Amino acid sequence: MMSSVFRVGRRAAVTVGGGASQARPFSSNTKANGSNYVMPFSEEGVEEEGEWEGCTRRFFPPIKVPVRGADILTNPLFNKGTAFKSGERDRLRLRGLLPPRMTNIHNQKERILAAIRAEESDIRKHILLEDLHDRNETLYHQLIIDHIEEMAPLIYTPTVGQACKEFGARYRR
């Protein structure tokens, strides 16, 4: 079974041959601090070869996913929309499935935030947020975290109560 790699979030799950996932840190230079606990990062940064050589940031490795192409774009956990970098687009066979222009998560967040703010109805705003959640969970959660005061009424009471009352009329799938 083929696996491919790209980064999602801070932790990485490594899937080998369709088996169980294991979370592991990016750096293989783990150190023990005297107890049974193993520090997941080296103090002096990452000392890996290849693409990450010389990197001093502390982060977890890319996720290996057993799917490619349109299957990634239909999975909200893996989909990053137009934020896939050129190398990721090639490895994951996304060329031609996405617009050629690449944008980062901050530009995507500003674009969706402008669309939400342009809507007058809280129900419409809630629907936009739910559509985003169905497409791109990373962007959805980043938007909620960065703008919690503005988004909380849309994803919680009273808007969700109204959406529940109108569920039958607004059901979409």
Side-chain angles (χ1 to χ4, degrees), residues 41-168:
F41 305 107
S42 71
E43 293 300 319
E44 57 276 345
V46 178
E47 297 175 8
E48 299 286 331
E49 294 179 16
E51 177 178 0
W52 307 106
E53 185 175 6
C55 182
T56 58
R57 291 190 63 188
R58 297 177 180 188
F59 52 89
F60 289 94
I63 291 177
K64 292 184 178 182
V65 294
V67 294
R68 296 182 190 274
D71 292 337
I72 288 175
L73 298 178
T74 58
N75 186 331
L77 290 173
F78 299 138
N79 187 14
K80 298 193 301 185
T82 56
F84 285 104
K85 295 179 182 175
S86 181
E88 291 174 327
R89 290 174 184 225
D90 291 336
R91 280 193 312 272
L92 300 172
R93 297 185 186 141
L94 298 174
R95 291 264 178 222
L97 299 176
L98 293 170
R101 183 176 181 185
M102 291 175 250
T103 60
N104 59 26
I105 194 168
H106 303 293
N107 291 343
Q108 290 178 335
K109 184 175 61 173
E110 292 304 318
R111 194 169 57 234
I112 194 72
L113 193 58
I116 290 170
R117 288 177 176 162
E119 290 293 336
E120 293 182 16
S121 164
D122 283 348
I123 295 291
R124 280 293 303 146
K125 292 177 182 182
H126 175 77
I127 290 170
L128 283 174
L129 281 171
E130 286 305 310
D131 287 345
L132 176 63
H133 189 247
D134 289 343
R135 286 189 323 266
N136 186 338
E137 283 192 21
T138 304
L139 180 59
Y140 171 81
H141 288 105
Q142 187 69 44
L143 183 69
I144 299 300
I145 289 168
D146 291 349
H147 301 279
I148 188 66
E149 295 87 8
E150 186 177 353
M151 299 298 144
L154 302 176
I155 60 172
Y156 198 56
T157 55
T159 307
V160 173
Q162 185 65 29
C164 289
K165 287 180 181 177
E166 299 176 11
F167 177 75

Side-chain angles (χ1 to χ4, degrees), residues 11 23-27 29-43 58 60:
R11 292 195 66 81
R24 67 180 173 92
F26 176 73
S27 176
N29 304 325
T30 57
K31 294 183 178 180
N33 64 359
S35 67
N36 291 335
Y37 177 74
V38 177
M39 302 288 287
F41 305 107
S42 71
E43 293 300 319
R58 297 177 180 188
F60 289 94

